[in-house]
């Protein structure tokens, strides 16, 4: 086996032309990285100078970017954020389960299931068309006004219910699109192997449908994470409400900026993960691999 420089384990020695091409490729990549870094730095400096030299910047800085109010707000926002995270986990699980059941109801075959299909379609049409803020006001503010015995008036529970009702309608359509994207031959093949309709749906159709719809499901989860802050309209002390209390006392709007940045910091990793999953699935699809 040759011991020459650049030799692979199988004895292959790259040609000088290939080595030169690889060197040029690396050099171009280094130049592109340097140009991108320099361009980014110049852009950041220009933006900074434009912002700080704009009329009214001192007043804007004091009103929206006060370091003192930011230090006061951050612990309270983090304390309220725990409520948002719990809502995200509980409502996210409930949305997935309810959305899947509605999607299955909409795809059931046979005339006997026609009323169920109509009810499922009416549910998705209604809650997808109803603005979330109105749904929250009706449930969080309207339900306690009924004074029904045994019905909770906890704004957290009522807000979570409203979020689940709205987002399950969106998720149901995502699941339904995934179910209908599975070719009928898959179900027919499962039936030919002796599986019942229920078994074919459970073991053949749903696994493929869910895998194909992972990116849009993650997008809905990102949206749900942000909208958990809307439960504050009922008085629940989450991250948004904690910031609102300080704003109401100080008339300084830095707490809103702090709360917004905290939500952005949570959302960005989830968004990048969604992009990664989408790109990975696109690559596997382009290569003809299993989804």
């Amino acid at each position: 086996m040759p011991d020459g420089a650049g030799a692979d384990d199988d004895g292959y020695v790259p040609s000088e032309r290939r080595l030169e091409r690889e060197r040029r490729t690396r050099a171009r990549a280094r130049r592109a990285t340097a140009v991108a870094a320099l361009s980014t730095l110049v852009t950041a400096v220009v933006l900074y100078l434009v912002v700080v030299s704009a009329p009214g910047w001192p007043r804007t800085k004091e009103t929206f970017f006060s370091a003192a109010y930011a230090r006061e707000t951050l612990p309270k926002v983090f304390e309220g954020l725990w409520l948002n995270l719990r809502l995200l986990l509980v409502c996210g699980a409930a949305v997935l389960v309810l959305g899947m059941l509605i999607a299955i109801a909409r795809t059931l075959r046979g005339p006997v299931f026609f009323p169920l299909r109509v009810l499922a379609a009416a549910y998705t049409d209604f809650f997808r068309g109803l603005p979330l803020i109105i749904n929250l006001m009706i449930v969080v503010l309207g339900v306690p006004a009924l004074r029904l015995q045994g019905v909770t008036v906890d704004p957290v529970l009522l807000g979570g219910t409203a979020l689940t009702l709205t987002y399950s309608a969106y998720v149901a359509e995502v699941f339904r699109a995934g179910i209908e994207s599975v070719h009928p031959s898959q179900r027919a093949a499962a039936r030919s192997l002796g599986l019942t309709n229920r078994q074919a749906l459970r073991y053949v159709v749903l696994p493929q449908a869910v895998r194909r719809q992972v990116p849009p499901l993650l997008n809905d989860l990102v949206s749900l994470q942000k909208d958990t802050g809307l439960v504050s309209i009922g008085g629940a002390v989450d991250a948004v409400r904690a910031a609102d209390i300080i704003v109401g006392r100080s008339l300084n709007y830095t707490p809103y900026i702090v709360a917004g940045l905290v939500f952005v910091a949570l959302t960005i990793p989830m968004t990048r993960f969604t992009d990664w999953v989408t790109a990975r699935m696109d690559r596997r699809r382009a290569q003809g691999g299993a989804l």
Side-chain angles (χ1 to χ4, degrees):
M1 182 177 295
D3 294 329
D8 295 335
D9 291 339
D10 59 358
Y12 169 71
V13 180
S15 66
E16 287 297 328
R17 179 177 297 178
R18 176 180 176 181
L19 293 175
E20 180 62 25
R21 185 167 60 247
E22 291 177 350
R23 283 194 292 269
R24 288 198 301 267
T25 301
R26 289 193 295 270
R28 284 197 298 268
R30 287 194 295 268
R31 286 196 300 271
T33 302
V35 170
L38 180 60
S39 176
T40 302
L41 179 61
V42 170
T43 303
V45 171
V46 170
L47 289 176
Y48 173 79
L49 294 176
V50 168
V51 170
V52 298
S53 61
W57 166 246
R59 182 61 178 171
T60 302
K61 180 181 179 181
E62 179 185 351
T63 304
F64 290 98
F65 303 101
S66 170
Y69 282 111
R71 287 192 296 269
E72 177 186 354
T73 302
L74 195 58
K76 295 180 173 59
V77 167
F78 278 137
E79 184 178 347
L81 186 65
W82 175 234
L83 174 59
N84 297 102
L85 294 177
R86 284 182 292 168
L87 277 172
L88 174 63
L89 293 175
V90 175
C91 293
V95 162
L96 290 176
V97 173
L98 183 56
M100 176 65 76
L101 293 176
I102 296 170
I104 293 174
R106 290 205 63 180
T107 56
L108 290 175
R109 300 178 178 180
V112 69
F113 295 115
F114 176 76
L116 194 58
R117 291 197 299 269
V118 170
L119 289 176
Y123 179 93
T124 56
D125 289 344
F126 178 78
F127 282 105
R128 289 176 71 200
L130 182 69
L132 175 58
I133 189 67
I134 294 180
N135 187 13
L136 281 162
M137 289 179 176
I138 292 174
V139 176
V140 176
L141 304 178
V143 170
L146 297 175
R147 299 180 181 178
L148 298 177
Q149 185 176 2
V151 176
T152 182
V153 294
D154 187 343
V156 176
L157 295 178
L158 293 175
T161 300
L163 290 172
T164 302
L165 290 174
T166 294
Y167 272 92
S168 60
Y170 288 98
V171 169
E173 288 299 281
V174 173
F175 279 132
R176 184 172 73 93
I179 292 172
E180 293 181 349
S181 70
V182 178
H183 198 274
S185 62
Q186 298 288 316
R187 191 187 296 265
R191 296 284 290 134
S192 68
L193 293 175
L195 274 67
T196 64
N197 280 323
R198 180 180 301 177
Q199 291 172 330
L201 179 66
R202 178 180 178 183
Y203 295 111
V204 178
V205 177
L206 287 183
Q208 297 183 63
V210 172
R211 283 199 300 269
R212 295 178 180 183
Q213 299 304 102
V214 166
L217 287 174
L218 290 174
N219 282 326
D220 285 336
L221 185 63
V222 170
S223 298
L224 176 62
Q225 181 264 320
K226 295 182 296 182
D227 285 341
T228 56
L230 294 176
V231 299
S232 60
I233 66 173
V237 183
D238 67 331
V240 177
R241 182 60 178 166
D244 188 58
I245 292 173
I246 299 177
V247 170
R249 185 185 71 241
S250 64
L251 297 181
N252 185 283
Y253 297 94
T254 302
Y256 286 151
I257 301 296
V258 172
L261 291 177
V262 168
F263 276 99
V264 169
L266 286 177
T267 301
I268 288 177
M270 297 172 65
T271 305
R272 295 288 78 81
F273 177 70
T274 302
D275 294 341
W276 177 81
V277 171
T278 303
R280 180 173 179 269
M281 295 183 68
D282 289 342
R283 287 195 301 269
R284 296 186 64 180
R285 188 181 297 112
Q287 295 169 1
L291 297 179

